[in-house]
Amino acid sequence: MSTTADAAAFLGLGCRVVRPGDDQYDTARSSWNRLFSHRPTAIVYVQSTSQVVAAVTSARRVGVPLRVRSGGHCLEGWSTVDDGLVIDVSDLTSVSIDAVRMTATVGAGLTQAAVVAALAAEGLAVPTGTEGSVGLVGATLGGGLGLLTRAYGMACDNLLAAEIVVASADGAAEAIYVDADHHADLLWALRGAGNGSFGVVTSLTYAVHPLSRVSTLTATWSGLDLVSELLTAWQGTAPFADERLTSQLELSRNSMTLFAVLAPGGDPAEIERLLHPLLSIGHPDVLTIDASWADAYDGLQIPLDDEPANWKFSSQFVAAPFPVEAIEIVRSLLAEAPTDGCNYFTNAFGGAVARSEPAGGSAFAHRDALFYAEPGAGWGVRGGVPAADDPLTPDCLRWVDDFTAALTPFGNGAYSNVPNAEAVDWQRDYWGAGAERLREVKALYDPSDVFCFPQSVPLDSGA
């Protein structure tokens, strides 16, 4: 069947369909990271679970590959595909809160910022990642870490149930409900390894937490002169602090910034006291705020147009403190960064992540980490020259590769939400000993490998 005929096969789904030649096509096919560019046969914007079932069924019967997209932030561009179907769930934006059971069921199209705002209106919260435009479903299914991690665990630790459309044995698709009593093996897999490997998640149910106000602190140091002292002090205190306190470092060639949230409870004086070992280094500019969680979260956001167009990341979990050698690597490579948009980011672990995991367990495999870390290179202007024509592209890609290789001996695993696309043993890096069990779950729920991409859970260990 021709590509044109393939696209026409999706017009009867009852939802908006964008195809090559449509005015909206170039916008619809674009992802947040403009480093990658794909030309799907069609993008369908589903508005119900039944439309997802119909879309998956149609893709299987037409014989085209499919991918699932929510916020469009898949960092390696794997939420879209050339000559295939993209099922975009961003219109699935329902929110239902049960204040008695302390749960919230949300549509898979909601961004993290939208969920923070909706829950905060009721004095509630669930842990999310820091960047608001990221889809909550994607963040959760890969783990979900951020500034509430040490207080409430990973986003996936708070996942109680999900509705998911899976491939059925008759060559079509069906929706199933997953919780501790129904398909518990799949719930385990969705908690940390669920992005696009088993089906299309259409809604998620979370345990939520009372949270009205938080204390936040931002401290900024200019230059890199104190990076060794700061990173040494941070890794020696942040993973062991009061578990209400979660902090992040963002280090660049020109500045170093500490972000921290104390939740629940506390006040600006307490958060400054808890962070004194860091604030006593040099003379940082310090801002402390007592605010609602929604306002605090909103204050962390950067307008999309102000962000670089192109990004390359790698990820690492760190289970033992960096020695002097590793910290010197961080300092020297930051000093050589090719753009101001290049940085090294860390997020403290410990606390609730290390203390417990959800009933039934999870595929997330890095509970013993002291912190999470990633080098990231950002370059280019949105609406500017394509990444392939930007002279900065090879320099930025090389910088991330060098950073990754230099720090590999000091790490202990990686994060599937921030893929290491060139890694050889990526299954073990992401999921540790759980990789074999994940392949078993994959064989049970998707034996035809309908839901696949370069680093999806495979059917066999050789993939």
Side-chain angles (χ1 to χ4, degrees):
M1 183 179 288
S2 70
T3 299
T4 301
D6 288 348
F10 304 116
L11 293 178
L13 298 178
C15 57
R16 182 162 70 100
V17 180
V18 179
R19 301 179 292 167
D22 292 345
D23 291 343
Q24 317 98 301
Y25 181 71
D26 282 338
T27 299
R29 71 183 182 88
S30 295
S31 299
W32 172 78
N33 188 2
R34 302 300 169 84
L35 179 61
F36 303 101
S37 178
H38 296 281
R39 299 190 65 85
T41 296
I43 304 107
V44 297
Y45 291 84
V46 293
Q47 296 179 312
S48 67
T49 299
S50 62
Q51 288 178 350
V52 176
V53 171
V56 174
T57 298
S58 295
R60 296 189 73 187
R61 290 177 177 169
V62 170
V64 299
L66 63 86
R67 299 287 171 84
V68 187
R69 184 176 73 183
S70 179
H73 277 256
C74 182
L75 297 178
E76 290 293 324
W78 294 333
S79 59
T80 184
V81 63
D82 290 323
D83 302 322
L85 176 68
V86 174
I87 300 176
D88 188 296
V89 300
S90 59
D91 286 341
L92 301 178
T93 57
S94 61
V95 178
S96 177
I97 298 171
D98 188 329
V100 175
R101 292 183 172 85
M102 291 297 288
T103 63
T105 300
V106 303
L110 286 166
T111 64
Q112 296 186 129
V115 173
V116 167
L119 294 181
E122 304 298 326
L124 302 169
V126 68
T128 70
T130 306
E131 185 154 357
S133 60
V134 170
L136 181 62
V137 61
T140 300
L141 296 179
L145 57 91
L147 283 165
L148 297 179
T149 296
R150 299 187 71 253
Y152 302 126
M154 305 291 288
C156 70
D157 294 346
N158 293 268
L159 181 63
L160 300 177
E163 182 182 64
I164 180 171
V165 174
V166 297
S168 54
D170 61 358
E174 61 179 328
I176 61 174
Y177 181 75
V178 175
D179 66 8
D181 299 317
H182 307 86
H183 309 288
D185 52 351
L186 183 53
L187 177 63
W188 172 85
L190 294 179
R191 290 170 168 164
N195 277 324
S197 287
F198 302 98
V200 185
V201 173
T202 55
S203 72
L204 309 100
T205 299
Y206 295 92
V208 295
H209 306 269
L211 185 63
S212 53
R213 302 190 70 79
V214 301
S215 294
T216 69
L217 183 145
T218 304
T220 304
W221 294 257
S222 60
L224 286 172
D225 291 345
L226 298 172
V227 68
S228 295
E229 292 91 331
L230 183 61
L231 188 50
T232 298
W234 181 83
Q235 70 173 353
T237 58
F240 311 104
D242 185 321
E243 69 179 46
R244 295 175 300 147
L245 180 69
T246 304
S247 62
Q248 301 172 342
L249 283 178
E250 187 170 310
L251 312 175
S252 71
R253 67 184 184 182
N254 296 318
S255 65
M256 306 181 295
T257 303
L258 168 72
F259 301 100
V261 168
L262 183 65
D267 56 37
E270 184 178 11
I271 196 171
E272 288 193 24
R273 177 180 61 79
L274 291 170
L275 291 167
H276 177 73
L278 304 176
L279 302 181
S280 63
I281 297 171
H283 303 283
D285 294 326
V286 179
L287 175 65
T288 56
I289 298 175
D290 177 71
S292 71
W293 173 231
D295 287 345
Y297 190 84
D298 187 61
L300 296 170
Q301 306 309 310
I302 299 172
L304 178 62
D305 290 343
D306 293 344
E307 293 184 332
N310 313 304
W311 287 94
K312 182 66 175 181
F313 296 86
S314 70
S315 63
Q316 179 183 58
F317 288 98
V318 179
F322 274 171
V324 172
E325 177 188 357
I327 293 175
E328 175 56 24
I329 289 170
V330 172
R331 187 206 62 77
S332 63
L333 283 167
L334 285 171
E336 299 168 3
T339 75
D340 288 342
C342 297
N343 64 64
Y344 185 67
F345 169 86
T346 67
N347 194 112
F349 267 42
V353 179
R355 178 170 45 79
S356 62
E357 63 178 321
S362 72
F364 182 75
H366 307 288
R367 298 190 182 278
D368 61 344
L370 295 179
F371 60 93
Y372 166 77
E374 63 185 37
W379 71 100
V381 178
R382 294 183 182 273
V385 299
D389 300 323
D390 192 323
L392 282 169
T393 296
D395 292 338
C396 289
L397 296 179
R398 187 180 309 111
W399 183 79
V400 175
D401 285 346
D402 290 347
F403 221 132
T404 304
L407 287 182
T408 294
F410 307 100
N412 181 30
Y415 187 31
S416 62
N417 277 356
V418 182
N420 292 351
E422 290 77 31
V424 175
D425 196 12
W426 51 269
Q427 295 181 56
R428 180 71 57 174
D429 292 344
Y430 298 151
W431 305 306
E436 181 177 355
R437 182 180 175 188
L438 283 168
R439 293 191 292 270
E440 294 171 354
V441 177
K442 174 74 170 181
L444 183 61
Y445 290 94
D446 187 22
S448 298
D449 204 18
V450 172
F451 300 98
C452 63
F453 55 90
Q455 286 187 353
S456 57
V457 173
L459 287 168
D460 59 73
S461 60

